[in-house]
Amino acid sequence: MANDTATSASGSKEKMAEEDTHAEKFKEKANNYFKERDYENAIKYYTEALELNPSSAIYFSNRSLAYLRTECYGYALADATKCLEIDQNYIKGYYRRATSNMALGKFKAALKDYETVVRVRPNDKDAKMKYQECNKIVKRKAFERAIASDEIKRSVVDSLDIENMMIEDQYTGPKLEEGKVTMRFMKEMMECFKDQKKLHRKCAYQILIQVKELLSKLPSLIEITLKETEKITICGDTHGQFYDLINIFELNGLPSETNPYLFNGDFVDRGSFSLEVILTLFGFKLLLPDSFYLLRGNHETDNMNQMYGFEGEVKAKYTTQMFTLFSEVFQWLPLAQCINGKVLVMHGGLFSEDGVMLDDLRKIDRNRQPPDSGPMCDLLWSDPQPQNGRCVSKRGVSCQFGPDVTERFLDQNNLDYIVRSHEVKAEGYEVTHSGKCITVFSAPNYCDQMCNKGAYIHLSGSDLKPQFHQFTAVPHPNVKPMAYANSLMQMGMM
C-alpha cells in the first residue's frame, strides 16, 4: 500500500513536471509571436501555458502586456491583478497594473502601484520618475475638478481676439478666403501638411471656432436619406495617420456634394499627425456641412487625449489653449447616424441594457466628457462578441454584446444592421452577427506595427448593401506613433 502511494505521488510529480515543461514551451512560442507583434497569437499561447500552469505570475504578467498592446485594458488589469495575487513581490506585475489603470483613466489606483514599487526599490530611478509623473497627473486632475466646481466654465472662444491676431509677412501657407474655407484652401492646406508645415494658428482657430458653432447646432443622432442614385463612403478610425487619410481621398476621390463621406470617430491619438488629420476633417465639414459627416469616438475625449498623444501634439505644435478648444469642439460631435432609417452607424456599439430606442439617442445631452456607463458611454466604447448575451468588456469600459442583443435592438428599432469601428481588423473590416454587425477600420498598419489593411465602405441608396474597399498603408515621415503620448503610457507598453 505504501509503495502504491509513493508510486502515485511520484507519477503526479512527473506529470506536473511534464506540464510545466509544456507550459514553458507555450510561453516561448508566445514570446516569439509577441516579438513579431502578432499579439493575438501571443495571447493564445500564453493562455495555453496558463491552462497547464495557472500559478505562474510571469505568464499572467506577459499576457497582461499582450492585452495592453491590443487595447484590452480590462483583461490586462485582471491579469496583472492575478499575477500579484500569485506573487506580490513580482515588480513587473505592479507596472502592468499601473499601466492598465492609467489607460482606463484610474490615476489614483495607478499611483498606489507606483508607490509600492518605490517603497520596494527606493533607489530605482525609473520607478521614482514614474511615481512622480503619475502623482503630477493625480494632482492636476484634483485641481481641474476644484476649478470646475468653483465656477461656470468659460469657453476659450470668449478669450480669443481672432480679428487682431496677426498673420506674419513671412507666412506663405494657406489662408482662409474672407474667413471662409474653400476647396482651394483645403487643397493647399493638405499639401502644406504633406510637406510637414504648420497651418497658421489664426487659421486653425478660425476653423475650430466655426466648426464648434456648426456642430453645436446638430442633434446627437444625425439622420440622412440617400436617394437611389446616391452613395456615401463610411470610414472607420484614422488615429492620426494623415498620409493614409490622404490616400483614401486619392483612391476614392475628394469629398464633394456628389461624393459624401462619414468618418466614424477616433480621428486622433496614437498616430503623430493627429492635428493634420483633424484640421483636414474639420475643414471639409465646414466646406460641405451637408455632405461630410463626423461622429465622436472614444478618443475624442480628454482622458484618452492626455494619455495617447493628441494633447501633447497640440501643445507641441500650438498651445495648451488650443487643446482646450479642441476639447470643447469634440464634446459637440454627434454620437450616431441613421441612414435611410435602416442602417445605424456609431463608433463603439450597442447597449448594456435592452430597450434603448433611437429616440433615446436623440435625447442624449452629449456636450460633456462621456460618463462611465449608460447609452453615451456604450455608443463610444462597446464591442460585439460571437456568443449570445452580454459580458464584461475586455476594455474595462462598457460591455460586449452578442448576436441576440443585436437582433433584438434592430427588430425594436426597425433597422437592418449596424456599422461600427473601434477595433483593428486584419482585413480592415469584419462582418459578424449574421451580417447585422459590421466593423470598419481605416488606419492600415495601425501604429506602424499591426500589419492590418485599412478599409472603407460604400453604401448605395438603391439597396444599402455594403461594398468593402481595402487599402494598404503608405509611407509617412519618420515620426513614430505615440511620439507625443504621455511618457508613462509609452514606457508602460514596453
Side-chain angles (χ1 to χ4, degrees):
M1 188 65 111
N3 269 352
D4 287 349
T5 308
T7 305
S8 171
S10 170
S12 177
K13 279 183 185 173
E14 282 174 17
K15 190 183 175 200
M16 281 175 65
E18 194 177 317
E19 285 180 349
D20 286 351
T21 304
H22 283 309
E24 275 298 298
K25 283 180 180 170
F26 282 133
K27 186 198 84 170
E28 289 308 314
K29 201 168 186 179
N31 286 351
N32 289 332
Y33 276 119
F34 189 93
K35 284 174 195 162
E36 291 165 13
R37 297 171 176 172
D38 184 347
Y39 303 119
E40 296 299 333
N41 270 317
I43 288 165
K44 177 186 168 187
Y45 287 107
Y46 287 135
T47 302
E48 292 198 20
L50 280 163
E51 282 167 5
L52 292 172
N53 182 4
S55 59
S56 169
I58 292 171
Y59 298 172
F60 277 109
S61 174
N62 286 6
R63 192 172 68 173
S64 176
L65 184 56
Y67 277 136
L68 279 169
R69 292 286 179 90
T70 54
E71 302 181 18
C72 297
Y73 307 126
Y75 288 177
L77 181 60
D79 272 3
T81 302
K82 187 69 181 167
C83 161
L84 292 168
E85 283 171 10
I86 293 165
D87 183 357
Q88 62 180 20
N89 296 314
Y90 192 67
I91 293 298
K92 280 185 183 175
Y94 291 101
Y95 280 131
R96 301 280 183 266
R97 191 164 70 180
T99 306
S100 305
N101 276 315
M102 290 283 290
L104 291 165
K106 297 175 180 176
F107 304 109
K108 280 187 180 174
L111 185 62
K112 202 177 275 187
D113 280 334
Y114 287 132
E115 273 174 357
T116 302
V117 178
V118 169
R119 196 166 58 247
V120 173
R121 293 182 172 178
N123 299 320
D124 187 329
K125 287 180 183 173
D126 179 58
K128 202 171 281 185
M129 186 272 289
K130 285 177 179 169
Y131 168 75
Q132 288 166 348
E133 185 73 23
C134 190
N135 200 22
K136 272 188 219 165
I137 294 171
V138 170
K139 284 179 177 172
R140 186 178 74 185
K141 289 280 178 190
F143 178 67
E144 286 169 359
R145 279 194 303 276
I147 290 176
S149 59
D150 221 27
E151 57 176 83
I152 296 165
K153 199 174 172 188
R154 287 178 70 233
S155 171
V156 169
V157 177
D158 299 334
S159 62
L160 290 172
D161 183 5
I162 295 294
E163 291 303 312
N164 291 315
M165 210 176 268
M166 296 296 296
I167 295 183
E168 299 78 8
D169 292 341
Q170 60 265 38
Y171 176 74
T172 56
K175 299 172 192 170
L176 277 74
E177 296 174 31
E178 296 180 359
K180 288 190 168 59
V181 170
T182 61
M183 183 57 89
R184 185 172 75 172
F185 167 81
M186 289 304 301
K187 288 178 179 176
E188 287 178 4
M189 182 172 73
M190 288 187 287
E191 284 303 316
C192 162
F193 289 158
K194 276 198 254 184
D195 294 337
Q196 288 185 274
K197 293 175 182 170
K198 258 172 49 175
L199 183 67
H200 193 278
R201 68 190 177 100
K202 177 171 182 171
C203 303
Y205 274 124
Q206 285 174 309
I207 288 172
L208 287 171
I209 291 166
Q210 290 176 32
V211 87
K212 182 185 176 187
E213 187 181 354
L214 174 63
L215 293 174
S216 68
K217 292 173 181 170
L218 298 177
S220 291
L221 172 64
I222 303 291
E223 295 169 87
I224 65 164
T225 302
L226 293 176
K227 293 175 186 165
E228 281 218 356
T229 54
E230 293 175 333
K231 72 168 174 65
I232 190 168
T233 301
I234 303 175
C235 299
D237 304 37
T238 45
H239 273 302
Q241 296 186 198
F242 174 73
Y243 296 85
D244 294 308
L245 171 66
I246 294 301
N247 188 37
I248 291 173
F249 294 149
E250 286 172 359
L251 293 169
N252 193 58
L254 283 174
S256 68
E257 287 180 2
T258 56
N259 191 27
Y261 279 83
L262 191 172
F263 280 84
N264 195 23
D266 279 16
F267 319 121
V268 301
D269 281 340
R270 294 191 175 273
S272 296
F273 304 95
S274 291
L275 251 171
E276 290 77 2
V277 166
I278 195 61
L279 287 173
T280 300
L281 296 179
F282 281 169
F284 276 121
K285 182 64 190 169
L286 290 171
L287 181 66
L288 302 158
D290 299 318
S291 309
F292 195 85
Y293 304 97
L294 301 171
L295 299 180
R296 191 175 186 178
N298 63 302
H299 276 267
E300 279 69 58
T301 57
D302 286 355
N303 270 354
M304 293 290 110
N305 295 161
Q306 285 162 2
M307 290 295 101
Y308 291 98
F310 184 60
E311 179 180 8
E313 184 179 341
V314 179
K315 287 178 176 179
K317 293 177 180 177
Y318 292 99
T319 62
T320 300
Q321 183 187 48
M322 188 179 286
F323 171 73
T324 306
L325 183 51
F326 268 111
S327 173
E328 289 182 27
V329 177
F330 286 165
Q331 293 190 162
W332 282 114
L333 284 163
L335 301 175
Q337 184 148 336
C338 193
I339 302 171
N340 288 29
K342 288 294 176 186
V343 180
L344 187 66
V345 185
M346 77 289 282
H347 179 73
L350 296 181
F351 307 98
S352 302
E353 294 178 356
D354 283 344
V356 176
M357 305 300 288
L358 292 184
D359 205 41
D360 296 314
L361 307 189
R362 294 183 187 105
K363 291 172 184 171
I364 293 174
D365 175 15
R366 71 183 186 277
N367 180 27
R368 56 181 172 151
Q369 292 304 306
D372 293 335
S373 60
M376 181 175 175
C377 172
D378 295 331
L379 284 167
L380 301 178
W381 276 99
S382 72
D383 294 293
Q385 64 180 20
Q387 64 272 31
N388 279 338
R390 292 179 176 88
C391 76
V392 176
S393 170
K394 61 190 178 185
R395 299 175 189 268
V397 184
S398 184
C399 69
Q400 291 174 197
F401 59 94
D404 58 330
V405 175
T406 301
E407 186 78 46
R408 282 196 301 275
F409 174 80
L410 296 174
D411 286 349
Q412 286 168 355
N413 286 281
N414 197 25
L415 295 163
D416 290 346
Y417 61 91
I418 65 168
V419 176
R420 40 90 63 184
S421 300
H422 196 39
E423 288 182 289
V424 188
K425 297 297 173 188
E427 295 301 311
Y429 72 95
E430 186 176 63
V431 181
T432 56
H433 295 187
S434 304
K436 296 187 174 178
C437 177
I438 293 169
T439 299
V440 61
F441 193 85
S442 305
N445 194 26
Y446 180 46
C447 289
D448 284 359
Q449 61 179 337
M450 298 304 284
C451 302
N452 60 293
K453 291 175 185 169
Y456 51 85
I457 298 171
H458 283 164
L459 270 196
S460 170
S462 59
D463 58 12
L464 295 178
K465 283 183 183 167
Q467 292 182 313
F468 302 100
H469 299 265
Q470 297 169 298
F471 60 99
T472 53
V474 295
H476 64 76
N478 188 25
V479 185
K480 288 184 169 55
M482 299 280 280
Y484 300 98
N486 179 281
S487 58
L488 284 175
M489 285 308 299
Q490 290 177 8
M491 290 181 289
M493 294 290 184
M494 302 300 281

